[in-house]
Each structure stands twice: as C-alpha cells, then as structure tokens.
Amino acid sequence: MTREALHPTGNPAVDRPARRYVLGTVAVTGLGVAWWVGYLVTGVGGEAFAYTFVPVAGVIATAAVLHMYRTSDLEPVARRFWRAMIVSPGLMTAGYAWLAVDMLAHAAEAHNRTMPVPAAGLVAAGFVIAIWAVGRVPVVAAGGIEWWRMLLDRTIAFLGCAAVLWYAGLAPMLSAAEPWSRQAMVLVGLAFLVAVGAATKVSYVAGGPVDRAAIRLIAAAGGVTAGLVAVLAVRFGFAATVPVQAFVMPLAPVLTSFGVAAQWRASAGPRGSSGRAGVLLPYLAVAAVDGPLIALAFGAPLRWPARIVLIAAVVVTGLVTARQYLAFRENARLLRNTREQEERLQYEVSHDGLTGLANRALFRDRLAAALSGPEKAAVLLVDLDDFKAVNDLLGHAVGDQLLVAAARLLRAEVGDAGLPVRIGGDEFAVLLTGPGTEPEELAGRLLAALDRPISEHRLLVGASIGIADAGPGASVDSVLRDADVAMYTAKQRGKAGFVRYVDGMGEPVLAHMQLGGELRRALDGDELRVVYQPIVRLADGLAIGVEALVRWHHPVRGVVSPAEFIPAAEQTGLIVPLGRFVLRETCRQAAAWLAEFGPDALLEAGLNVSARQLHDPDFVSDVTAALADSGLPCERLVLEVTESAVLRGQQVSRALYELNRMGIRLALDDFGTGESSLSLLRAFPAAIVKLDRSFVEGIEIDDGMPAAADARQAVARAVIQLANALDLDTVAEGVESAEQAAVLRELGYTRGQGYHLARPMTADAVSVLLAGQQRPHDRALGRML
C-alpha cells in the first residue's frame, strides 16, 4: 500500500513534493527512535522532550495535505474530504503542541502530569472531523435489496472490528494496573473509531474520487497507532509514555503523509479498477469477533469487557442471519430471472419474432424427431400467392399484418393436430404427426379459410400448398424438397390449390432449375440472339418499327422457346441481366439502322420490359446508359410493359414516370386482358396501346350474321375509339391473315404486327427489308427531281 503510494507518476510536480513530505515525517519518527535510545542510555533531554516529536511530524503531515489540496485537480467530493482533513490533523497538531509546551514548562512533573483538557479537546475535535469526513465519502451506488445488503455488511464489519478492538485494546487499558488518564482513553477510543469507520468505508467506496488507498492509510493512521498505544500501555504502564510519544504516535502523521501521496498520485493519473467492494470484510469481521469467544472457551475470565463482546457477537450473529436471508431471497430472484431469461431466449431462438409461430430450426428438429419414430408424419408447405404485390402496393407494414393474420388462421385451423411453422418470408409449413388429421383435409380447410378476407385491411390472399409424406428412411431435407416440389407444382397449375407429392414430380421442376443454371451460362457464353418483328403500316405494308425478341440457341437443345426460358429467368432473377442485354443490343442496332438508312426509315424500336426489371433500382440508369452509348434518340425507343407490371407498386410507377420524362415512349402491351385497363390509361403515361391478339382472332369471320360479327369486333372498335379520344397510337397484335388486316384497317387501326405482316427476323434481314423499302422511295424522289 505504501509502495503504491510512492510509485512515481512521471510528473515531477507530484512526485517530488509527495516524496519530500513522506520522507520528512519518516525522518521525524526516526529521530524519535534515535532520541529514545539515547534517553535510555544517557537520560539525555528528559522525559518532557518526547512530546515534541508528534507536533513536529503533525505540522509536516498537515502541510502535505494543504499542498496537495492546493495543487491537485480534485473533484468536488475529494476536495470536501481533503478540506476536512486539513482541519483534522491541524487541530490534532495544535492539541499535541499544547501538550508539548505544557510538558516542557513542567518538565519535573512530566512523568505524572496528564494532558490538559483544552489540548485533549483539540485532538478530540480533530478525530471527530476525521470521522465526519470519512462518513461523507460516497459509497457504491445501490438500491433496493442491494442497499439493505450493503448496510448489513457495513454494520457487521463495524461491530465485529469494534468488538475486537474493544476486547484487545481499549478494555485492557481501562482495567490496567496503571490506567492512563481519561483524556488518553477518549483519544484512543476515537482513534479506534476512525480506524474502524475508515476500514469499513473503504471496502464500499467506488473507484474514485477519493482514493481507496488514501482512505486505508488514514484508517491505519488511527488504528495502528491506537493499537500500539494500547498494547504498550497494558504491557508497560506509565513506562510506555516516552516511546509512545517519541516514535509510536508520530506514526500517525507518517501514514497520513502516505495517504496524501496516494491521493496525489491518483489525481495525477488514471484510476485503477475498484475491484469487488466489501466482499471479504464482513466475513473477516465475523471471524474476528469469534476470537474473544474462543479465548473465553479456553478459560479466559468472564468479566464485563468479555460480556460486551458476547453481546456484540449475538448482535453480529443476528445481523448475519438477516444478511443470509436477504442473500437467499436475492439468489432466488436471480435464479428465477435466469430461468425466465433462458426460457425467453429458448423461445426466441425457436420461434418467429413476427408471428410467434415455430421457426425453421424448431421445425427441422421436430421433423427429425418424427422421422426417427414409428408414427407416420406429413408436411404441408404453404406459400401465399402474390404476396410480393401486397408489399409493393400497400407497404411492408401491411404485409407484416397480413402475415400475422395468416399465422393466426394457420394456428386456428391446425389446432393440436400439428405444429404450425413460419419458414420465412411468405412461406409457412405444418408438421402433422400421428393418425389424426389427413393432410388433404387440412389443406382444403386452409384454402377455404383463405377464401375470406383476412387481417384488419380485409385482404383476400390465396395460397399454394405442397404436401409430402415423411416415410421411413426419409431425411429432413428430402421431405422438405418433396413438399417444395409439390408446392411449386401447385403454383404452376394456377395457384390457390394443393398438390400431394408423387414420385417423379420433381423431374420437371429440376429441369426448370437446371434451365435457369444453363441460362446463366448462356448469358456469359454468347448463346442469346436478338431478332426483330417488324411493325407494319396497314395502309401500304411498309415496316415503320420493330419489336425486339430474344432467342436462345442452345448448343445441345437447339433453339429454346422463350415460353420455356423466360419464366425461368423471371424466377431466378436472371431476367434483369437478360433484359439489360436485349436493351443494349436493340439500342445499338436501331442506331445503326438510322445511320445507314436515314431518320425516316425506322420510326421506333421497342422491347418488352418485365415487372422484375422495373423493380430494379438501376433500371432507369441502365436505359440512360444504353441510349448514351448507342446514340439512339430517346423518342425512338419504345418500352412495352404489361398491365400487371404497371400495378406492381410505387417503385415501378416512379420508374415509368421518370422514363416518360426522358422522352421514351411507353406502350401498354396485351391491352384489354387485365382488370384495370381503362383506369390505367388515366394513371399511366402511355403513348401506345397494343391490342391483344385475343381480340384480333376471329375478327374477320363473316357468317352472314351482322350481330355476331359486331360482337366479335366490339372490343377492337372500343379500344380504337378510346385511343383516338386520348390521342394514343395503336398497334394490333397477332394479325395472321389479310382479312384480319382489312377489318382492322376499316375499324381505324393504322399499324399492325403478326406473322401475316412479317415474321421475326434477324438484324441482317431487317436491313435488307429497309433497303428494299428505300429503293422505291429513292426512285420516286429521283423522278420528282
């Protein structure tokens, strides 16, 4: 402790004065020892001279406190403590100086003279101020049971230490053959109080602002000195007065100066950890109070000092019992909280945070357990249909509420028959075990329940359900794979239904997944080609635009139909890079045609854009880059979107309006097949309407029944009238005969697209077509000139 106090800080302004004051008090004490030896040998100086060492050492210790107080950057609590400690040793030094002067003035009576009452009053006042200063040092913050525990611990420690000091120190002085004066007894008792109070306090002081080592040294200044005084007084009586005054009592200023040095050092550098405050002190105090009891057990006389110790031991025992009761209650509470926390963590680990259903991990554990048992089990995989549209159109908050409502419905329908699970996203599952509910029956009930609106927003949502049996020898992964294949098959069959897995069902799905993998290779391996189907002016048959279409030339399968690989691209997300490839190639080729054949040769070049592409945040920048790199004017590019894609949320709407502001023309493809075609024309910045081929098919039939012919032409007639009213261009798709072209022309359509007019062709074939159209134009122009 003293070594820590004198450990250099590297700051000369702290190290030098701290060491100087410590060495000063040590030197005074050393001189006291040397003088006492000389006094014993030669009688030099007389007994009264012994009283001079305490006030001299006290002056040095008080100066040390004052110097540290003035030069250190102390916090308010520390300043208050050390301000009191300036007054405390100062009063004590004044009291012992009074005593020294009195003894020197009455040197002949020094051996029998007692301490003047005013001098004793000054020293006592110094002790009281020290006790008050120590008592005001803040302890570790605590509340509730912890506050009561700390109070009991401190009381136990105080009573235990006080009982020992009473039995071994103060009581023997009172009953000694040569008892000291009352003043001396009071001062020794106050010194013991300072020692016990400071020792108890320091065990519960947090790591600052009053240094713990400093308080320990203050405690030692009172306790060690008083203890030595008591031992010497009992053992030697009045003969101990000279060594006590010469070098025992000067130890108090020495330890005080060490405490000042410790505080000086702590204020100059970072404080260490406060450690575990007060852990051992109560136990040490209980052990200490047992010492006198052991002495009594071995024959020590039962006098009144021992009776006081017995009373203290009984009180300490009662306090320890109360302390243990509090500890028992606190431990019970901690154990209860720990169990609750473990249960809560276990629940959170095994359940979905949004819906409260079991999660994938618990589902796999239960399924593995079911597969290892003798009972049959089945798995239903439930996927909400078109859930992404809910998130896109209404927001994720509404989507989450829909998931919670779906989970509630699932839990109600399953009941105790199985384990409802949220796998993730919009995918749920049910594990059925035992001979209870049949999977098909449960699937039917779930679909029937979903036929009604759910959630607080009253949304209607369907589900595709795949059922797989968990038979002997199956693994968790194989059962889940079979259920997933069955669910995927249910979606392919039109959604809002259920399918039970049978052997061989996974082969088409696997082929579809393999196709997606091969498509990734095709994008990197230059297997994709862009072909162009001309858009023809119905009046003269001239090609005035093209629509870009993609073809896959597979090295093994040959030409793969778009109807086969486009859905795979949509599901795997490869539609985004595929669409980017078609966009850049179309812009490049259209710009090349304009450069070769002039601005009047081709009015527009269009391509289809999927909803997945429009959701891509980089789509608009991809279009901008393709136009900039190719040099194609914005107004020459047409982007065709379906009605369902337009309804896919705010991101899609923002992208379309931004493209429209750029000057790019937008076309509504397959117009008339959706539920909101007419309203879309007001909300969507369309420039072109493409009449779906289903309204062109059979439009030319003339069976001699005018009413039937009018009915077949009604939609086509309504669309052209609506487009003319809104100043929109029209294109009729799927024109397969001259008769269809003639009827469309009579209805007012000026442009058409279909196999009768022109089949999809390569870029070179389009160049030949444009060149052929340009020659008659050049000849006519030549005749005019």
Side-chain angles (χ1 to χ4, degrees), residues 475-499:
S475 66
V476 171
D477 290 331
S478 66
V479 173
L480 293 179
R481 182 178 62 247
D482 293 347
D484 197 47
V485 168
M487 184 268 292
Y488 185 83
T489 304
K491 283 188 176 294
Q492 286 186 325
R493 292 181 181 178
K495 303 180 181 179
F498 66 86
V499 172

Side-chain angles (χ1 to χ4, degrees), residues 588-745:
R588 183 197 64 78
Q589 186 59 62
W593 285 326
L594 290 178
E596 182 177 356
F597 300 107
D600 296 330
L602 197 68
L603 298 181
E604 61 191 33
L607 65 148
N608 290 285
V609 177
S610 71
R612 188 76 173 265
Q613 289 176 271
L614 291 170
H615 273 290
D616 182 13
D618 296 328
F619 178 68
V620 175
S621 60
D622 287 343
V623 174
T624 304
L627 291 171
D629 294 343
S630 64
L632 182 69
C634 295
E635 64 273 10
R636 299 291 179 133
L637 179 64
V638 175
L639 299 180
E640 301 181 10
V641 295
T642 61
E643 298 175 31
S644 59
V646 175
L647 295 172
R648 294 298 290 271
Q650 297 181 354
Q651 170 65 25
V652 171
S653 180
R654 284 194 297 268
L656 292 173
Y657 274 95
E658 189 169 350
L659 293 168
N660 180 66
R661 286 193 295 270
M662 291 168 58
I664 297 169
R665 306 181 76 204
L666 302 177
L668 266 179
D669 199 12
D670 302 333
F671 185 77
T673 59
E675 298 178 357
S676 306
S677 299
L678 299 181
S679 61
L680 276 179
L681 291 178
R682 295 177 59 109
F684 171 64
I688 303 170
V689 172
K690 300 191 76 173
L691 180 68
D692 186 69
R693 64 179 61 248
S694 61
F695 303 119
V696 176
E697 184 178 358
I699 198 173
E700 78 286 2
I701 297 176
D702 185 5
D703 52 6
M705 300 177 65
D710 288 343
R712 286 188 290 271
Q713 299 173 9
V715 174
R717 182 180 292 107
V719 170
I720 189 63
Q721 290 174 352
L722 184 63
N724 290 336
L726 297 176
D727 196 22
L728 302 177
D729 292 333
T730 55
V731 177
E733 296 181 301
V735 181
E736 306 296 336
S737 66
E739 291 77 12
Q740 289 177 347
V743 172
L744 290 169
R745 193 165 54 249

Side-chain angles (χ1 to χ4, degrees), residues 1 61 65 68 81-82 84-86 88-89 92 126-127 129-131 133-134 137 190-199 202 210-226 251-263:
M1 186 163 56
V65 178
M68 185 274 296
F81 174 80
W82 288 105
M85 294 309 297
I86 294 172
S88 174
M92 294 182 192
F127 277 123
I129 291 175
I131 294 171
V134 170
V137 175
L190 289 173
F192 280 148
L193 283 177
V194 171
V196 174
V202 75
V210 180
D211 186 65
R212 289 162 59 88
I215 299 180
R216 288 194 187 100
L217 288 162
I218 296 297
V224 172
T225 305
L251 289 176
V254 172
L255 293 171
T256 300
S257 63
F258 272 109
V260 172
Q263 182 66 58

Side-chain angles (χ1 to χ4, degrees), residues 180-242:
W180 286 23
S181 65
R182 293 179 180 176
Q183 298 94 309
M185 298 294 184
V186 170
L187 295 182
V188 170
L190 289 173
F192 280 148
L193 283 177
V194 171
V196 174
T200 305
K201 190 79 171 187
V202 75
S203 297
Y204 299 93
V205 173
V210 180
D211 186 65
R212 289 162 59 88
I215 299 180
R216 288 194 187 100
L217 288 162
I218 296 297
V224 172
T225 305
L228 290 174
V229 169
V231 170
L232 292 174
V234 173
R235 181 68 179 82
F236 299 104
F238 295 143
T241 304
V242 173

Side-chain angles (χ1 to χ4, degrees), residues 412-463:
E413 293 297 331
V414 173
D416 297 330
L419 176 69
V421 181
R422 184 188 178 201
I423 299 294
D426 60 344
E427 197 169 70
F428 297 85
V430 179
L431 173 61
L432 293 177
T433 55
T437 306
E438 286 297 321
E440 287 90 346
E441 178 190 348
L442 176 59
R445 293 206 314 268
L446 289 173
L447 293 176
L450 289 172
D451 277 341
R452 299 183 295 273
I454 62 174
S455 88
E456 61 184 70
H457 295 275
R458 311 304 297 161
L459 299 176
L460 191 63
V461 61

Side-chain angles (χ1 to χ4, degrees), residues 144-167:
I145 292 180
E146 182 64 17
W147 185 88
W148 284 104
R149 183 196 68 80
M150 188 180 297
L151 178 63
L152 287 172
D153 284 350
R154 293 169 64 188
T155 306
I156 292 169
F158 184 86
L159 289 178
C161 295
V164 172
L165 292 177
W166 161 260
Y167 184 79

